[in-house]
Amino acid sequence: MNIPHLSAAAASRKIELMDTTLRDGEQTQGVAFTPMEKVSIAKALLQFLRVDRIEVASARVSEGEKEAVSQINRWAAEEGFAERVEVLGFVDHTRSVDWIKSTGGRVINLLAKGSEKHCREQLGKTLEQHCADVLQTIGYAHEQGLKINLYLEDWSNGYKDSPEYVYGFMNKVQHSPVSHFMLPDTLGVMAPDEVFGSLGDMCRRYPELHFDFHPHNDYGLATANVMAAVRAGVSAVHCTINCLGERAGNASLAEVAVVLRDKMGMELAIDESHLVRISDMVENFSGKRIAANAPIVGADVFTQTAGIHADGDQKGGLYKTKLGPERFSRTRSYALGKMSGKASLKKNLEQLELDLSEEDQKKVLARIVSIGDAKQTITTDDLPFIIADVLESKSYQHIKLLACAINSGMDLQSTVSLRVDVKGEKHQATGAGSGGFDAFIDAIGKVLSHYGYTLPALADYEIRIPKGGHASALTECVITWDCGNELRKTRGVHVNQVFAGIQAAIKLINIQLHEMAAIH
């Protein structure tokens, strides 16, 4: 792909970001914000993220939409943001204008036809007829004191299929009181070289006008297309939070903002430190989950997994870039799992303010790698469980669990089949019980009866996951055993809570078999 080089037209300058999450983003399948949610998002975008403009709704949609827009406009007027709140309106002379005015709105984004095909087949009108209607609505909006921006719907196809229609349209409206002419790639069909060529042509033909570019992401090119549009000379680009929008969505505001700053040296008004918080808000309100590896805002994008990366960061920041987490009010983390190294563990211990000896670190790391084969990632929240388990473990190996299979079902008795090594001898046994752990106790009891050993009764059985843990968190099982003249506690840590209990039981057996051997 031939992406144009930075031209004189794209020298460092101020670029406006217009966020249309609340209008175009709400056209995402299954997304409908409540009035309260719309107001909350609008406030966050303008007051905290400090975007230049927001498009919050389409006129004449519903009474609920009208109330939301009215609330946003009342708040915006009080806070000095009134002319930064925009509403999509239609070429209907008075109706959209009156609707926007009734909500306290100050800006109309008028949707006109930017392609000859749309004008002819959807409206059944000639260019002259459509332009007359557009100018009539513009004239009324201007009389009512509204600021006017003008969309050329389907402009990308219109420019490709009939550029003379686009030129004819612009020639008729260019001297009207329009602040921004907004050129959308409505169906997301453009590539960067096409964007640069067509928008460059528009900017050269009408050098006194302000052009916005409105991309869609159907080919996954929205951010690249924004770069090309800025190089071509546009003064504003449209985005959404979390790439919301019809079909494949619009351009991601987080990606666009960071790319324009880092790769093109553009001046932006936004405060990047609020990007993740607002992304989380929109994710919760929309119900559309973002990928963990989504640039800037994804849960995992500042997590190093490979131990070699943690080692490089520790020795000299070798794997750090401009995209530092602190820039976005985030922190870097180092995943623990089968790919972890000593540096990854050290980084997590520093975060927990824990200090372990080299020998203990080796033990803990060995356990992490072992667990990582069953659980891909271990969090910092899991780490204290592992440390406690490893440091209290003795090296007794009188009994080893070689294999264990548990079958459980609703309203059915659980069964266990196991293989163990006791003092060098292999045994197999099955057991049944009211749950997986109970069935294990039944099976292991049959094996240990050959050695004159009986497990003591349970005094307490406690299962925990880390604070803030989730469904994939490690499980810690602490069992208190009634050993006659004393209570003893053993701990097990595993991804499966039943096996955590089994590990705790194996520990006690090892301790007591060791004590029996010492006596004899």
Side-chain angles (χ1 to χ4, degrees):
M1 183 181 297
N2 181 25
I3 298 178
H5 294 293
L6 189 66
S7 68
S12 181
R13 65 185 194 278
K14 173 71 164 58
I15 299 294
E16 288 187 358
L17 296 184
M18 191 271 260
D19 182 277
T20 184
T21 301
L22 297 177
R23 200 278 298 175
D24 217 16
E26 199 177 31
Q27 294 177 189
T28 309
Q29 172 63 28
V31 173
F33 297 117
T34 67
M36 179 278 293
E37 290 169 343
K38 278 204 162 194
V39 172
S40 297
I41 294 170
K43 288 181 178 181
L45 288 169
L46 288 173
Q47 199 166 42
F48 298 109
L49 191 57
R50 300 209 299 264
V51 298
D52 298 280
R53 298 147 53 198
I54 60 173
E55 190 177 41
V56 299
S58 298
R60 299 167 35 218
V61 169
S62 68
E63 284 305 310
E65 192 83 329
K66 190 173 185 179
E67 176 55 31
V69 176
S70 298
Q71 288 185 42
I72 292 169
N73 281 326
R74 282 196 295 271
W75 170 82
E78 293 171 0
E79 298 295 329
F81 298 129
E83 293 203 355
R84 292 163 63 177
V85 176
E86 304 172 5
V87 177
L88 184 77
F90 305 98
V91 181
D92 52 18
H93 192 195
T94 63
R95 287 186 295 168
S96 289
V97 172
D98 289 346
W99 191 95
I100 293 169
K101 285 283 290 182
S102 71
T103 67
R106 305 274 185 89
V107 185
I108 181 171
N109 291 343
L110 188 60
L111 187 67
K113 295 300 182 184
S115 71
E116 190 274 335
K117 187 175 182 180
H118 271 225
C119 182
R120 171 172 41 85
E121 297 189 9
Q122 194 168 41
L123 299 182
K125 295 190 175 185
T126 64
L127 171 62
E128 289 72 20
Q129 290 172 324
H130 182 47
C131 285
D133 293 341
V134 169
L135 289 169
Q136 181 188 46
T137 302
I138 288 175
Y140 182 70
H142 187 60
E143 289 173 7
Q144 295 301 310
L146 294 186
K147 181 180 176 181
I148 303 150
N149 300 320
L150 185 62
Y151 270 115
L152 277 67
E153 185 184 10
D154 198 39
W155 165 81
S156 52
N157 281 317
Y159 183 91
K160 176 174 64 73
D161 297 338
S162 179
E164 294 307 317
Y165 170 90
V166 174
Y167 302 149
F169 182 93
M170 288 298 302
N171 291 340
K172 290 180 181 297
V173 300
Q174 64 175 317
H175 299 300
S176 61
V178 171
S179 299
H180 292 262
F181 290 85
M182 306 196 289
L183 306 179
D185 183 12
T186 303
L187 298 177
V189 297
M190 303 183 88
D193 53 348
E194 296 169 312
V195 172
F196 183 76
S198 55
L199 278 170
D201 176 42
M202 296 292 287
C203 291
R204 286 189 298 273
R205 282 178 180 270
Y206 307 98
E208 302 302 317
L209 303 182
H210 294 285
F211 287 108
D212 291 14
F213 179 55
H214 179 104
H216 278 261
N217 201 38
D218 296 69
Y219 280 96
L221 292 171
T223 301
N225 284 345
V226 166
M227 295 178 73
V230 170
R231 288 185 175 115
V234 302
S235 57
V237 292
H238 298 186
C239 317
T240 60
I241 301 295
N242 297 346
C243 205
L244 290 184
E246 281 191 295
R247 306 179 311 277
N250 295 32
S252 161
L253 188 145
E255 292 179 32
V256 165
V258 171
V259 165
L260 290 184
R261 271 186 170 148
D262 288 8
K263 299 301 180 182
M264 301 186 70
M266 296 297 149
E267 298 174 23
L268 305 176
I270 72 159
D271 182 347
E272 295 175 339
S273 67
H274 292 280
L275 279 170
V276 175
R277 186 170 70 84
I278 292 173
S279 170
D280 291 343
M281 177 190 293
V282 172
E283 182 181 40
N284 290 331
F285 288 165
S286 68
K288 294 294 184 180
R289 298 295 173 240
I290 61 172
N293 63 349
I296 315 302
V297 297
D300 294 344
V301 295
F302 296 113
T303 299
Q304 299 280 32
T305 300
I308 190 172
H309 293 167
D311 182 65
D313 283 348
Q314 186 171 337
K315 291 177 177 176
L318 303 183
Y319 294 90
K320 294 180 180 179
T321 71
K322 281 185 179 180
L323 292 177
E326 299 80 10
R327 176 176 170 182
F328 309 105
S329 295
R330 302 187 66 180
T331 57
R332 191 177 304 281
S333 62
Y334 295 85
L336 297 168
K338 63 183 179 181
M339 296 175 68
S340 297
K342 188 166 70 172
S344 299
L345 175 58
K346 278 189 174 180
K347 288 287 187 181
N348 282 275
L349 290 174
E350 287 171 8
Q351 187 174 335
L352 292 170
E353 297 183 346
L354 294 175
D355 187 20
L356 298 182
S357 68
E358 289 292 323
E359 187 62 30
D360 286 339
Q361 285 186 45
K362 289 179 183 178
K363 293 178 183 177
V364 171
L365 186 59
R367 179 65 64 85
I368 287 169
V369 172
S370 174
I371 293 173
D373 283 331
K375 181 178 187 285
Q376 187 174 6
T377 301
I378 299 160
T379 69
T380 303
D381 291 328
D382 294 323
L383 190 53
F385 284 7
I386 298 171
I387 293 171
D389 184 43
V390 169
L391 296 189
E392 76 173 12
S393 297
K394 306 297 182 183
S395 58
Y396 309 143
Q397 294 293 320
H398 300 289
I399 181 170
K400 298 177 186 176
L401 185 64
L402 303 177
C404 182
I406 302 172
N407 289 308
S408 295
M410 185 178 290
D411 300 324
L412 295 174
Q413 193 175 44
S414 295
T415 60
V416 162
S417 176
L418 57 78
R419 282 192 305 116
V420 293
D421 181 316
V422 182
K423 299 180 179 180
E425 292 188 31
K426 305 291 192 300
H427 298 268
Q428 288 185 304
T430 59
S434 56
F437 183 76
D438 189 36
F440 168 79
I441 294 298
D442 182 45
I444 200 69
K446 293 174 183 177
V447 173
L448 294 172
S449 63
H450 300 296
Y451 297 88
Y453 174 83
T454 302
L455 265 168
L458 273 65
D460 192 23
Y461 187 101
E462 182 182 4
I463 289 288
R464 297 192 303 164
I465 64 170
K467 290 181 179 180
H470 39 78
S472 63
L474 284 178
T475 302
E476 178 188 57
C477 179
V478 178
I479 302 178
T480 304
W481 307 90
D482 185 353
C483 299
N485 59 346
E486 65 173 333
L487 295 177
R488 282 187 165 178
K489 288 187 177 183
T490 55
R491 179 196 319 262
V493 174
H494 199 275
V495 294
N496 182 301
Q497 65 179 19
V498 176
F499 282 100
I502 289 172
Q503 284 187 355
I506 292 291
K507 282 185 182 178
L508 180 77
I509 296 168
N510 264 312
I511 291 170
Q512 293 198 318
L513 288 179
H514 185 77
E515 291 171 348
M516 289 170 61
I519 292 171
H520 294 95

